[in-house]
């Protein structure tokens, strides 16, 4: 079964601290993994995707197929990073269906 | 570019009535649009996928006759909740993509409250 697991509902850190938002997935083939972010009162927007291997707003995520993980990391959290973060999986085969994790709320305190 | 709008942003209706929600891609043509449902403090659950000009593909457990989806043009998809009941109250979000494997761009969502 296809599944995305984000074990933490809330992650609370102080400004300047490192952040790691965990994401594990279950998929039998070669999935594409994404991180979406939703700031307060705003729509969901794409943060990054594993195939791009880029860093957005200081965030990075590496796909670890052995551990079936796609954790989101940032070395120094900023207050403006406070938001809801969703990990999502898209299966192979050209079908654009996204499966979302439950989401993790990141709260960065001054 | 790649802006998706939804209308209305919120709606309150009486039990038994039908409600239509529109999803528009404002600056691109969307061959595929998706409809999600989000309960409070929960994740997005895909309800159905619609491709322009063809019937929508519904996810398991989603009633086709209850949630009517129409994707008549490359910039508009509609979701009609028929004979709405209080348990249909939720946040409905659409997304649109240019092609089957392109990035999904999300609308701001529509909050439906059924009294």
């Amino acid at each position: 079964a296809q599944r995305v697991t984000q074990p933490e509902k809330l992650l609370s850190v102080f400004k300047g601290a490192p952040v790691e938002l965990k994401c594990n997935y279950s998929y039998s083939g070669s999935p594409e993994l994404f991180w979406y972010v939703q700031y307060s009162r705003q729509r969901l927007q794409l943060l990054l995707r594993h195939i791009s291997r880029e860093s957005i707003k200081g965030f990075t995520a590496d796909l670890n197929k052995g551990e079936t993980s796609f954790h989101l990391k940032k070395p120094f959290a900023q207050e403006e990073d406070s938001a809801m973060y969703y990990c999502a999986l898209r299966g192979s085969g050209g079908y654009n269906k996204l499966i979302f994790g439950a989401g993790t709320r990141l709260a960065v305190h001054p | 570019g790649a802006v998706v709008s939804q209308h209305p942003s919120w709606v309150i209706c009486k039990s038994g009535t039908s409600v239509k929600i529109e999803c528009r891609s404002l600056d691109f043509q969307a061959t595929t649009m998706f409809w999600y449902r989000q309960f409070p403090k929960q994740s997005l659950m895909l309800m159905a996928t619609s491709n322009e000009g063809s019937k929508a593909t519904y996810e398991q457990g989603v009633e086709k006759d209850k949630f009517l989806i129409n994707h008549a043009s490359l910039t508009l998809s509609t979701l009609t909740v028929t004979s709405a009941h209080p348990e249909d109250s939720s946040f409905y979000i659409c997304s649109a993509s240019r092609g089957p494997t392109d990035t999904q761009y999300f609308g701001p969502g529509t909050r439906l409250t059924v009294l």
Side-chain angles (χ1 to χ4, degrees), chain B residues 28-103:
Chain B
F28 68 101
Q29 293 187 325
T31 60
T32 309
M33 288 185 170
F34 303 84
W35 287 95
Y36 296 85
R37 185 172 180 176
Q38 186 177 33
F39 290 103
K41 299 189 178 183
Q42 293 189 31
S43 187
L44 285 77
M45 297 297 294
L46 180 65
M47 299 174 65
T49 303
S50 77
N51 292 296
E52 187 266 337
S54 60
K55 289 184 178 180
T57 302
Y58 290 80
E59 294 299 303
Q60 192 172 12
V62 178
E63 299 176 60
K64 300 179 183 181
D65 296 331
K66 174 77 172 174
F67 299 99
L68 300 178
I69 292 172
N70 184 280
H71 191 167
S73 77
L74 287 171
T75 59
L76 173 65
S77 176
T78 60
L79 167 68
T80 301
V81 183
T82 63
S83 187
H85 290 284
E87 57 266 29
D88 298 324
S89 298
S90 190
F91 197 54
Y92 293 88
I93 303 171
C94 76
S95 71
S97 65
R98 292 183 175 87
T101 60
D102 291 328
T103 298

Side-chain angles (χ1 to χ4, degrees), chain A residues 32-106:
Chain A
E32 236 188 298
L33 273 297
F34 304 81
W35 276 100
Y36 280 83
V37 60
Q38 188 171 29
Y39 299 102
S40 180
R41 300 185 184 279
Q42 295 187 29
R43 69 189 66 199
L44 206 63
Q45 55 185 289
L46 179 65
L47 181 62
L48 53 81
R49 51 200 300 181
H50 90 269
I51 60 172
S52 300
R53 300 188 64 81
E54 55 191 346
S55 173
I56 305 294
K57 298 184 179 182
F59 285 97
T60 59
D62 290 317
L63 181 61
N64 186 322
K65 293 185 178 180
E67 296 182 358
T68 60
S69 68
F70 188 56
H71 302 326
L72 183 68
K73 300 177 183 180
K74 184 169 182 177
F76 307 104
Q78 303 298 315
E79 289 180 67
E80 55 265 29
D81 295 329
S82 296
M84 196 73 184
Y85 290 81
Y86 293 96
C87 182
L89 172 156
R90 182 170 75 191
S92 54
Y95 188 29
N96 203 7
K97 174 179 171 178
L98 284 175
I99 297 168
F100 285 87
T104 298
R105 180 167 297 284
L106 174 64

